[in-house]
């Protein structure tokens, strides 16, 4: 729904809404309420590829210096592993392999729900080693699992005095740095949980 009548709907929003309506009408056909789907041949809007913000190292340094202590390891892991916010907040200590310096993504968002392993950078490994616990949620605040980042993230961005970034932009930053390091596309797909489909750089 467009809450601002002066702001046009994006192509992505139009396509998402059209897809929902189309599926409802197909369901109605299956149930015998209608004989055909009038939206069956309606074409999706062509979506424009949007620029994905990438955080420069200088702004990363500023951000980490202003993050609350419990937010720092989450931001570092996001930057150094490319994991999604939901994946990070569902991680357990049992899924960190300190011997092999790997983290197993236990809450994957891939279509097949595939498990994947991501190598830890020296920075991420040292940070986790300093916080190491035998089991339980990887990230906690006052001994409770962290489930919400929006307030702390917005406050850190504001204190750092840097342009607005979404937390998900850290994932874009991770992918871009892999590209700059000349990591091949297949490896990038595996690390980011996009093991199938087109080049991950076309998405990020």
């Amino acid at each position: 729904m467009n809450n601002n009548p002066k702001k046009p709907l994006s192509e992505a929003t139009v396509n998402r809404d059209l897809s929902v309506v189309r599926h409802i009408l197909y369901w109605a056909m299956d149930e015998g309420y209608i004989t055909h789907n009038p939206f069956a041949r309606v074409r999706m809007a062509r979506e424009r590829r949007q620029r994905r913000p990438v955080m420069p190292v200088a702004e990363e340094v500023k951000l980490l210096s202003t993050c609350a202590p419990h937010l720092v390891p989450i931001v570092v892991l996001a930057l150094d592993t490319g994991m999604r916010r939901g994946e990070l907040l569902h991680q357990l200590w049992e899924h960190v392999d300190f011997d092999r310096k790997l983290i197993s993504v236990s809450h994957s968002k891939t279509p097949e729900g595939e498990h994947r392993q991501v190598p830890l950078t020296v920075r991420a490994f040292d940070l986790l080693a300093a916080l190491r616990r035998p089991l339980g949620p990887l990230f906690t605040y006052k001994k409770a699992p962290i489930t919400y980042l929006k307030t702390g993230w917005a406050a850190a961005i504001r204190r750092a005095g840097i342009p607005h970034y979404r937390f998900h932009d850290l994932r874009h930053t991770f992918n871009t740095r892999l590209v700059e390091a000349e990591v091949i596309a297949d490896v990038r797909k595996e690390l980011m949980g996009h093991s199938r489909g087109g080049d991950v750089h076309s998405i990020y």
Side-chain angles (χ1 to χ4, degrees):
M1 182 178 178
N2 187 9
N3 295 321
N4 184 352
K6 295 182 180 180
K7 183 179 180 181
L9 293 174
S10 69
E11 291 86 352
T13 299
V14 171
N15 286 343
R16 184 175 64 248
D17 292 349
L18 176 58
S19 179
V20 170
V21 174
R22 182 178 288 169
H23 278 84
I24 292 173
L25 291 173
Y26 275 126
W27 172 85
M29 282 181 61
D30 291 341
E31 294 296 318
Y33 294 114
I34 59 177
T35 58
H36 71 284
N37 186 345
F39 277 46
R41 296 183 179 275
V42 176
R43 293 184 177 182
M44 294 287 189
R46 183 174 181 178
E47 297 182 25
R48 301 174 189 172
R49 187 176 299 175
Q50 297 181 347
R51 176 182 174 273
R52 304 290 185 179
V54 175
M55 185 176 292
V57 173
E59 292 181 356
E60 174 190 330
V61 171
K62 290 181 181 179
L63 175 65
L64 290 173
S65 70
T66 61
C67 282
H70 68 276
L71 187 58
V72 171
I74 302 176
V75 172
V76 169
L77 263 290
L79 283 165
D80 288 9
T81 68
M83 292 170 63
R84 303 172 179 89
R85 177 180 54 194
E87 293 172 341
L88 288 164
L89 298 185
H90 280 86
Q91 286 302 126
L92 303 175
W93 283 108
E94 298 94 302
H95 299 133
V96 180
D97 187 333
F98 284 98
D99 293 330
R100 298 168 62 206
K101 297 185 178 180
L102 295 171
I103 186 166
S104 297
V105 181
S106 58
H107 191 76
S108 177
K109 192 184 175 183
T110 57
E112 301 84 2
E114 293 174 348
H115 160 269
R116 72 182 190 276
Q117 292 182 321
V118 183
L120 294 170
T121 62
V122 172
R123 172 173 71 164
F125 176 84
D126 289 346
L127 189 153
L128 292 179
L131 300 171
R132 188 171 182 174
R133 299 288 184 274
L135 49 82
L138 203 63
F139 303 114
T140 60
Y141 178 67
K142 295 183 178 179
K143 299 183 178 181
I146 296 174
T147 59
Y148 186 77
L149 297 178
K150 188 173 183 179
T151 301
W153 172 258
I157 292 287
R158 184 177 64 253
R159 289 193 296 265
I162 61 177
H164 172 72
Y165 289 94
R166 301 172 305 160
F167 187 85
H168 196 73
D169 292 330
L170 302 182
R171 183 167 162 84
H172 306 324
T173 300
F174 171 76
N175 180 64
T176 299
R177 290 176 180 178
L178 292 181
V179 173
E180 292 171 348
E182 299 184 349
V183 175
I184 63 175
D186 285 347
V187 173
R188 287 187 282 118
K189 291 180 199 176
E190 292 289 343
L191 292 176
M192 299 187 70
H194 285 280
S195 57
R196 301 180 183 180
D199 186 350
V200 69
H201 199 55
S202 68
I203 303 172
Y204 292 100

